[in-house]
Amino acid sequence: MNEQENHQPGAEVEHEPTSSTAVRLDEGHIIGTGGIPERFTNPGLPAHVARAADLDEAAARRAEKQVATLFGLSILGTLAFIVLYFAIDLDQTVFVPGIGVTNASNLALGTTMALGMLGIGFGAVHWAKTLMPDEEVVEERHPMRASDESRERVVKVLAEGGEQSQITRRPLIKYTMGGALGLFAVPLVLQVAGSLGPMPQKSLSLTFWNGGPSGPGEDPEFRPLRLMRDPEGTPVKAEDVTIGSVFHIMPEGLLPNPDDPEAEYLEKHVLEEKAKAAVILIRLDEDLIQSQKQRDWGHQGIVAYSKICTHVGCPVGLYEQQTHHLLCPCHQSTFDVTQDCKVIFGPAKRPLPQLKITVDDEGYLVSAAPFAEAVGPSFWERG
Ligand code: FES
């Protein structure tokens, strides 16, 4: 009678050391042959069949060269990625048959990065299939901490693994794989370091209210801009803003005008500019306004504040007319408009910046100065 027939549920089973080709199921599993499918009685891989590279050193050398070629392709792909990252303009387009006009930078970087990744992947798979040992080994479960003897054995097995994988004997694979894996990190670092853009403090301090497009190039010279209703694009007269009313505002000239020399820049960056310049306009009973600065920067109780939440930049679009509170829907930061948009609840750490306004000769509301501080999130200030 063999061990399988002796086994009782819950009984201790003595396992003999398992050879590399033996198959053993753990305690509690049904073991046997009567009516049990083959995949349960023999779930392991087929026994090792010698491959050409196991028997013939010339075949092994051929496999080594193939693996090295694949790693070499990965190196070329990664180097090409680095060169093309700097060489191709982000806005350049190219015609590809079957696809049409597409962005050249995306196409080139995607293709070269794919080559870099696939070279490593295919190289590793081919190496494993041709040169590495492919015999199945079963490891018995054991206590979490192995005995000192086992640990020593593991070190020895690892050393033997290195020897068996032939990495110590095949320097071509060792060096090309090292090069492919080492270089592969460069595009990731380049993308993170090179694509972050300017520091937020600088870019959020300049908005369209400074007098025009906020970058790149010279800082614009301040000029008064009419407050335009968003999305209608019509100017707002002071008399149109009744107590309790709220207007969503954009600066005059933000929408691209084909005759404008800035039109090309604006066409590409209009959303970015809008995101920074959005303002909310509210008329309060003048007696409710608690700060002199707030009064001076407004016009007869009409005040304008940046609509970009100072927590992490969501639009603050909910106005509670009875309490005069502005609420950010993202994390419920609440700003009291009668107290210069001070934070009275939530995670935001500073008030919404106020835009100084006045009226022009025709009675339209215009900006009197750009924002005095950066708009939007301020987490980067606390670093
Ligand atoms: S973004 Fe406004 S509270 Fe978080």
Side-chain angles (χ1 to χ4, degrees):
M1 192 180 289
N2 62 26
E3 179 193 317
Q4 294 169 0
E5 288 164 335
N6 280 334
H7 176 68
Q8 298 296 316
E12 292 265 311
V13 177
E14 278 283 316
H15 292 300
E16 295 297 322
T18 311
S19 76
S20 61
T21 51
V23 174
R24 180 178 292 281
L25 297 180
D26 275 348
E27 183 183 352
H29 286 216
I30 300 167
I31 298 176
T33 51
I36 296 176
E38 167 69 11
R39 69 177 185 279
F40 292 122
T41 56
N42 182 13
L45 295 172
H48 175 67
V49 177
R51 301 156 301 184
D54 295 329
L55 306 172
D56 178 6
E57 181 54 26
R61 272 201 301 276
R62 231 178 5 258
E64 178 187 9
K65 282 181 191 156
Q66 288 159 350
V67 173
T69 304
L70 288 165
F71 285 149
L73 281 177
S74 168
I75 292 175
L76 287 180
T78 306
L79 289 175
F81 178 98
I82 296 167
V83 172
L84 295 176
Y85 181 83
F86 292 106
I88 299 182
D89 191 85
L90 279 182
D91 302 321
Q92 204 171 314
T93 54
V94 66
F95 178 77
V96 181
I99 298 179
V101 177
T102 186
N103 182 287
S105 172
N106 288 350
L107 183 69
L109 298 185
T111 308
T112 50
M113 182 178 261
L115 190 60
M117 294 171 86
L118 289 174
I120 292 175
F122 285 135
V125 169
H126 193 55
W127 179 15
K129 281 188 164 292
T130 53
L131 295 170
M132 284 189 186
D134 69 342
E135 293 171 47
E136 185 184 13
V137 176
V138 176
E139 184 185 10
E140 296 293 336
R141 288 196 179 268
H142 51 73
M144 289 302 282
R145 192 201 183 282
S147 66
D148 291 342
E149 191 193 13
S150 299
R151 291 172 154 222
E152 271 171 34
R153 210 165 54 232
V154 167
V155 172
K156 195 164 156 241
V157 167
L158 286 177
E160 281 171 9
E163 184 57 38
Q164 284 180 349
S165 67
Q166 305 194 18
I167 195 163
T168 48
R169 286 200 292 130
R170 308 218 173 261
L172 202 52
I173 288 182
K174 185 163 75 178
Y175 294 130
T176 51
M177 182 183 70
L181 289 175
L183 273 173
F184 188 69
V186 175
L188 304 179
V189 174
L190 270 181
Q191 285 186 83
V192 172
S195 309
L196 286 179
M199 279 294 288
Q201 184 169 17
K202 163 88 175 144
S203 63
L204 293 175
S205 297
L206 270 185
T207 71
F208 205 89
W209 294 107
N210 283 65
S214 62
E218 300 285 302
D219 292 356
E221 194 173 319
F222 176 74
R223 64 191 166 100
L225 296 172
R226 280 186 173 167
L227 276 64
M228 314 293 276
R229 291 180 77 152
D230 185 27
E232 296 87 344
T234 51
V236 183
K237 279 194 164 174
E239 65 197 35
D240 296 337
V241 189
T242 52
I243 288 188
S245 59
V246 179
F247 290 79
H248 297 273
I249 296 295
M250 282 291 160
E252 168 190 4
L254 182 49
L255 292 179
N257 167 358
D259 301 330
D260 187 339
E262 312 279 11
E264 199 188 329
Y265 167 81
L266 271 181
E267 223 166 82
K268 287 183 198 155
H269 299 273
V270 66
L271 284 179
E272 196 180 306
E273 293 285 356
K274 281 181 92 171
K276 293 195 293 177
V279 156
I280 198 153
L281 187 77
I282 296 166
R283 185 167 208 152
L284 297 170
D285 181 339
E286 275 196 87
D287 294 339
L288 291 174
I289 297 181
Q290 295 181 27
S291 119
Q292 188 56 42
K293 174 227 155 193
Q294 187 183 15
R295 201 183 303 267
D296 293 346
W297 283 28
H299 175 77
Q300 296 175 353
I302 304 173
V303 286
Y305 284 91
S306 167
K307 200 172 141 183
I308 314 304
C309 182
T310 51
H311 179 220
V312 290
C314 289
V316 179
L318 305 174
Y319 180 58
E320 223 297 309
Q321 199 181 348
Q322 303 301 318
T323 57
H324 314 290
H325 291 167
L326 273 169
L327 179 77
C328 176
C330 286
H331 314 101
Q332 283 72 53
S333 283
T334 308
F335 305 86
D336 186 347
V337 185
T338 64
Q339 295 188 65
D340 209 6
C341 274
K342 183 174 116 179
V343 183
I344 54 167
F345 180 78
K349 289 286 180 284
R350 65 185 178 104
L352 296 172
Q354 187 177 5
L355 180 72
K356 191 172 182 184
I357 55 169
T358 183
V359 286
D360 64 13
D361 299 342
E362 296 174 59
Y364 287 106
L365 290 165
V366 293
S367 57
F371 283 112
E373 57 187 298
V375 298
S378 44
F379 53 84
W380 43 268
E381 284 180 331
R382 303 200 297 270

